[in-house]
Amino acid sequence: MARPQALQHAWQAFDSGEFFRQLDARVAVRSESQEPDRGSELRRYLTDFVIPDIEKLGFTWEIVDNPVAGFGPFLLAERIEAEAALTLLTYGHGDVVRGYDGQWREGLSPWRIVVEGERWYGRGTADNKGQHSLNFAALKSVIDARDGRLGYNVKLILEMGEETGSPGLKAVCEAYRDRLSADLFIASDGPRLSADSPTLFLGSRGSFNFDLRLRARDGAHHSGNWGGVLSNPATRLANAWATLVDAHGKILIDGLRPPAIPAAVKEAVASLEVGATPGDPEIDASWGEPGLLPAERLFAWNTLELLAIKAGNPDAPANAIPGEAYAHCQLRFVVGSERERFLDHLRQHLDAHGFEDVEASSARMSQMNATRLDPTDPWVSWALASMRESSGKTPTLLPNLGGSLPNDVFAETLGLPTLWVPHSYPACSQHAPDEHALASIVREGLGIMAGLWWDLAEHGQDILKEREQWHR
C-alpha cells in the first residue's frame, strides 16, 4: 500500500465515527490529577482505555508507580522490530485539569463529547486525550497499511500528572534512561498558531514561578486611626513590582532578560501573525519589549507576569490597613536566559531599590526549563516537508511554544531532538469550562500524523545519516 492509501485509512477512522467513539469513552474517565481522590481513575485510564489498544498494535508495556508520593502513574511501552535501525519516542498525558462541572454552558458536560458544528466539547478533547489518541490512531493506520511492519521501533511514555506539573517525570526518565533511549522524539500538545495552520514547534519557553510577600505586622488596623503612620504593605509591594516591569510590560531587570534573538529564530518567526483566529483576544500592539514584533515577544523573548495579588479582603473590603500583601508572579523565558540565577537577580534588584523587606521565593510548583531544537536541524525540514505533503498547506514553524511543557526532560535528560505537532488551537478553552476540539483539525491531524509515521519509515534512516554530517 502506498502513502496516499495510508492517509485515507487514517481519515476513514474519522469519517466512520470510530475515532469519535474511542475518544468519547476516554473523555468519560474523570482523570483529574488536581483532585486528590482520583488515583483509581488515573490508573483506570491506562488499564482500560490505552493498554488494550496499544497491545493490538504489538506494544509490550509496564505501569510504573510515581516516585513522588500521591501522584499518578506512568505507562512505559515499546514496539520493537528486529534489526530496526531507528527508534522513535512519543509521549502524551492522560490526566486533565478539574472539570469545573457546574461552570460549563447549558447542555454541555466535561465528561462526554457534545458536538456543535465543528466543535467537540469535553474535558481532554484538546488537552491531551484527543491529541495522543489521534497519534495512536494514525500509527495504527500506518502499521495496517504497511502489513504490520514499520521498519523502526516505537517507544511510549504516557504520564498521568502533567496538569500538576509532571511530578516524577524527570526521575522516571532518569531511572529508565536506557529503556527510553531513542533517536527522535515526536509528540503533540499545546495549540497550533491558528486553527487553519498546521504547526510544528521545537521546544517551549521555560516557566519560573515565584512569590513576593511583605509582612509588616500581625493583623489589619483601622485606616482612620492609623493611616499615615503605619506603612501599607500593599502599597510597598505594588511599588516593588513597578521596579521589575514597567507600565507597558517591559522587563526592567537585566538578569531576567534573554540574550539577543538568534538569526535562525528571528527568521522563523518573522512572518508569523499572532491573534489572527476568530475568537482570539485583540493584540495590544504597545505591550512588551519595544522594537519587537508580536511573534518575537511571544516566542523569542521573556515575559514577566503578575498572575495574582492579594492584600486585605478583596471580596469584602474593610477600612483597614492590611498587615501583609502577597503576589504570585511568573517569568516565561527562552533558551539562553540565566535560569539558575533568577532568584538571585530578583533579590539583588529589590535590595538595591530599597525593598529589603519584600521576600522573594520560588513558588511550590514545577519549574520547567526552556528548550529549543535548532531550526536548521535536518529533522525540522523533514517534518515540515511531510506535513506540507499531507495537508496541502505550508506549515507554520515555531522555534518554541509560547507556553511551557516538560520538553526539557526529553531534550536534556534524554538528549533527544524534539518535534511537537499540536492538534488544538488557541481558542479551544483549554483548562477552562467548554474545552473543545475542532473536527477539522482532528481530521487533518490524522492525515498529518499518518504522513509523518509513514515518512519516518521511508526516510528516517537517511535523515539520521544526514544529521551525522550536519553535526560535523
Side-chain angles (χ1 to χ4, degrees), residues 280-328:
D280 286 350
E282 184 178 352
I283 298 298
D284 293 318
S286 62
W287 186 261
E289 182 68 19
L292 298 185
L293 299 171
E296 292 173 332
R297 296 171 187 164
L298 182 59
F299 301 117
W301 202 254
N302 294 359
T303 57
L304 184 57
E305 305 292 354
L306 179 57
L307 302 182
I309 187 166
K310 182 177 180 181
N313 187 343
D315 295 327
N319 292 322
I321 301 167
E324 65 178 327
Y326 157 83
H328 182 73

Side-chain angles (χ1 to χ4, degrees), residues 120-276:
W120 291 7
Y121 288 95
R123 178 62 83 218
T125 52
D127 187 19
N128 175 260
K129 292 177 180 178
Q131 301 215 38
H132 66 252
S133 296
L134 186 160
N135 290 354
F136 297 158
L139 184 64
K140 178 183 185 301
S141 296
V142 174
I143 291 173
D144 290 346
R146 298 181 71 86
D147 297 323
R149 188 166 182 80
L150 288 171
Y152 58 90
N153 303 317
V154 183
K155 298 181 179 180
L156 163 69
I157 179 167
L158 190 67
E159 69 165 316
M160 300 303 294
E162 196 269 352
E163 301 297 3
T164 52
S166 295
L169 177 61
K170 183 175 182 180
V172 167
C173 286
E174 288 174 338
Y176 292 87
R177 185 189 305 273
D178 291 341
R179 184 167 171 180
L180 295 170
S181 64
D183 300 294
L184 173 66
F185 174 92
I186 301 178
S188 301
D189 203 351
R192 295 175 165 194
L193 180 67
S194 62
D196 61 353
S197 179
T199 298
L200 175 70
F201 64 87
L202 312 179
S204 67
R205 286 199 294 183
S207 175
F208 175 73
N209 287 56
F210 63 96
D211 297 327
L212 299 178
R213 188 181 300 274
L214 199 166
R215 182 176 177 82
R217 61 191 68 86
D218 291 335
H221 295 271
H222 192 283
S223 58
N225 297 337
W226 296 100
V229 295
L230 292 183
S231 66
N232 188 318
T235 300
R236 282 192 60 74
L237 193 63
N239 278 271
W241 176 257
T243 71
L244 306 183
V245 58
D246 73 10
H248 298 285
K250 178 184 176 180
I251 299 173
L252 301 177
I253 304 179
D254 287 341
L256 302 188
R257 294 164 60 85
I261 302 173
V265 174
K266 206 171 186 67
E267 180 181 353
V269 302
S271 62
L272 300 184
E273 187 176 0
V274 178

Side-chain angles (χ1 to χ4, degrees), residues 19 59 91 98 133 137 218 222 236 240 251 263 266 268 272 281 316 338 345 382-383 412 414:
F19 180 77
F59 282 84
Y91 158 89
R98 293 182 177 91
S133 296
D218 291 335
H222 192 283
R236 282 192 60 74
I251 299 173
K266 206 171 186 67
L272 300 184
E338 292 187 305
H345 288 306
W382 166 82
E412 297 176 348
L414 297 180

Side-chain angles (χ1 to χ4, degrees), residues 79-87 149-154 183 457 461 464:
R79 184 184 186 277
I80 305 299
E81 294 187 3
E83 300 180 0
L86 174 69
T87 300
R149 188 166 182 80
L150 288 171
Y152 58 90
N153 303 317
V154 183
D183 300 294
Q461 293 186 40
L464 272 183

